[in-house]
Amino acid sequence: MLIKIDNITVINIQQLVRIYVRNTGGSGGFYEVIAETLNHQYPIERCLTKTKAVAMLDKILNQYDRGQRVIEL
């Protein structure tokens, strides 16, 4: 499955080492869904709450077994 992050970046989920949610910290911190390959980290989505970030991660994982296609987030 391919994930289109922006207009010029598409990543293949089969090449990911891990995908997770992290808190950026700080006073104006937010949560990011991060896709990590062996040599790069791709921020897929930034959310104001952890609930929204986890929902985005669930959306990606629920789409995984539906064949090779591109999803836009």
Side-chain angles (χ1 to χ4, degrees):
M1 180 175 74
L2 304 173
I3 300 174
K4 185 175 181 182
I5 298 173
D6 54 32
N7 288 336
I8 58 172
T9 308
V10 176
I11 59 172
N12 187 344
I13 199 167
Q14 293 177 339
Q15 295 176 340
L16 298 181
V17 175
R18 67 180 180 159
I19 185 168
Y20 60 97
V21 173
R22 78 172 174 196
N23 186 354
T24 60
S27 61
F30 47 90
Y31 293 88
E32 292 180 322
V33 178
I34 302 293
E36 186 175 303
T37 62
L38 289 175
N39 57 357
H40 199 273
Q41 290 182 348
Y42 298 95
I44 295 176
E45 188 73 29
R46 292 184 177 159
C47 303
L48 295 175
T49 64
K50 186 175 183 178
T51 306
K52 288 182 182 179
V54 170
M56 180 62 63
L57 180 61
D58 285 341
K59 179 181 176 181
I60 293 169
L61 296 177
N62 287 335
Q63 299 280 333
Y64 181 69
D65 64 344
R66 296 188 182 172
Q68 189 70 303
R69 60 189 178 138
V70 176
I71 61 169
E72 276 188 64
L73 304 174

